[in-house]
Amino acid sequence: MSNLQIGLAVAGGLALVGVVGYNTWMSRKNAPRQAAPDALVEPAMDTVEPAFTDAEVHATDMALPTPSKKPALDALIDVIAPLTLDPSAAPVSGEAAIAALPATRRAGTKPFAVEGFNTQTQQWESPANGQRYSSFQAGVQLANRTGALNEIEYSEFVVKAQAFADAVGATPEFPEMLDEVARARELDQFASAHDAQLGFCIRARNASWSPGYVHQNAARLGFVVGVIPGRMVLPAAQEGLPPVLVLSFDSQAALAEDPAQSAIRDISLHLDVAQADRAEHPFERMRDAAFALAEGMDGVVTDDNGQPLALETMEVIASELQTLYNTLEQRDLAAGSAVARRLFS
């Protein structure tokens, strides 16, 4: 072999080594960032996200179920029909009341409920075994995020309430339908005009992220793994309340056979304003979490359209939210209250 041939062979070999090295470097550079081995966040299921007692209500909603011993109906957002028991029939056992309840707790898209006046506690509550009730009341919600109560839904409410009344020996007194439907429309108009849901996006500047890397960084800020793949939540201070914030990313990445190789290029933070108590300072915590995640994960905070968000923009949003909070409180629908969580659901 001539010196020229040897030289070309050596040069070719060096070039091949260079290509392999470059490809290896690029592969490592572009690989999803991984969580530190000594601080892995276990992807265990957490129960901080509330679930409705009514099986028909979607589990992904963020509304809080009302405890069975506390009244759920409120004249502010419900149609309420008194169900007066015949003196000869009162009191009615909780077992009999439960057996008389309809199979579904909805009238169309609106929650339907029956409460009994407990003879021992002298309080309204959902019927419970072992209790006795001297009277009942049935109610249907005037509005929620599906819209206002309409005539068909009101008629379904009447049918269900009448059937329950007949079963327990009670006489119902229904409000005028047209008045209640008009009240529902007014409430729906107010709610629609004051329903705020905010979302920020944190996008990777360079290398993508693995699910474990996202979990690890979010956990440092107090987020815990939720019940849905690709979802983490920041719990409220009071146990049993809806989460303050929701962090989400591609569920397919979370469900992959090898999550470490799943490439996540953006995550989102979501705040449902009406569901979180003002005292929790939810927007401030959302803003701080977004910038902390961006700094820790080499990302940038943007809106849904990919436009970077500056601190000045955040200050404008914060000011507008204070006005919204005040308006809701003036209407007795303070953010995070039981009635607000039900109306904005």
Side-chain angles (χ1 to χ4, degrees):
M1 180 180 294
S2 67
N3 290 337
L4 177 60
Q5 290 175 317
I6 294 174
L8 290 173
V10 171
L14 291 175
L16 179 61
V17 170
V19 170
V20 172
Y22 175 77
N23 288 338
T24 301
W25 177 75
M26 287 297 295
S27 177
R28 290 179 178 176
K29 179 181 178 182
N30 295 325
R33 296 188 179 190
Q34 305 296 323
D38 59 343
L40 290 176
V41 179
E42 292 295 330
M45 304 297 277
D46 198 277
T47 58
V48 299
E49 293 187 76
F52 281 103
T53 54
D54 183 348
E56 291 184 328
V57 181
H58 298 296
T60 54
D61 287 344
M62 297 175 65
L64 178 71
T66 305
S68 61
K69 291 296 181 181
K70 295 182 180 180
L73 296 177
D74 191 307
L76 184 65
I77 64 169
D78 294 303
V79 178
I80 300 179
L83 310 177
T84 305
L85 287 170
D86 186 295
S88 62
V92 173
S93 69
E95 289 78 3
I98 292 173
L101 290 172
T104 61
R105 305 292 192 273
R106 301 187 79 79
T109 61
K110 306 302 181 292
F112 167 88
V114 171
E115 294 179 343
F117 192 76
N118 192 307
T119 58
Q120 182 175 0
T121 65
Q122 298 292 293
Q123 292 183 347
W124 291 101
E125 66 182 35
S126 297
N129 291 327
Q131 305 300 316
R132 299 179 72 80
Y133 302 98
S134 58
S135 61
F136 294 93
Q137 60 184 12
V140 64
Q141 196 162 309
L142 287 165
N144 56 17
R145 281 177 172 155
T146 66
L149 181 77
N150 57 43
E151 290 85 349
I152 295 176
E153 290 172 326
Y154 188 92
S155 298
E156 185 176 343
F157 158 65
V158 169
V159 170
K160 288 190 173 184
Q162 183 68 63
F164 175 86
D166 292 342
V168 298
T171 301
E173 182 181 345
F174 296 105
E176 176 60 40
M177 180 181 71
L178 294 181
D179 292 341
E180 295 304 303
V181 170
R183 193 161 69 97
R185 289 172 180 162
E186 190 276 332
L187 180 61
D188 180 60
Q189 289 174 357
F190 173 85
S192 298
H194 298 86
D195 191 359
Q197 299 186 60
L198 302 177
F200 294 158
C201 187
I202 299 95
R203 301 181 187 275
R205 293 182 184 272
N206 297 298
S208 59
W209 311 311
S210 68
Y213 186 75
V214 173
H215 286 168
Q216 185 178 87
N217 281 273
R220 294 190 181 112
L221 301 177
F223 285 85
V224 297
V225 180
V227 298
I228 300 173
R231 178 172 169 136
M232 301 182 74
V233 297
L234 185 64
Q238 183 178 340
E239 185 178 357
L241 291 181
V244 178
L245 300 174
V246 174
L247 180 153
S248 59
F249 57 89
D250 183 10
S251 61
Q252 295 302 314
L255 293 170
E257 291 186 8
D258 186 2
Q261 298 305 312
S262 297
I264 300 170
R265 296 209 60 84
D266 59 77
I267 60 178
S268 63
L269 283 177
H270 180 261
L271 167 61
D272 192 335
V273 175
Q275 296 290 330
D277 194 311
R278 184 180 193 173
E280 293 270 12
H281 303 291
F283 177 74
E284 291 77 9
R285 296 169 72 180
M286 180 185 187
R287 176 198 61 202
D288 295 346
F291 283 114
L293 288 169
E295 180 179 359
M297 299 167 64
D298 188 25
V300 59
V301 181
T302 74
D303 60 19
D304 291 339
N305 298 319
Q307 297 299 313
L309 290 172
L311 279 174
E312 293 77 11
T313 304
M314 301 288 192
E315 291 174 0
V316 173
I317 298 173
S319 177
E320 292 176 347
L321 279 179
Q322 296 308 312
T323 301
L324 174 60
Y325 284 132
N326 293 338
T327 302
L328 290 174
E329 289 172 3
Q330 291 166 6
R331 187 66 183 255
D332 293 328
L333 292 168
S337 65
V339 286
R341 293 196 304 268
R342 290 176 54 212
L343 177 61
F344 295 96
S345 66

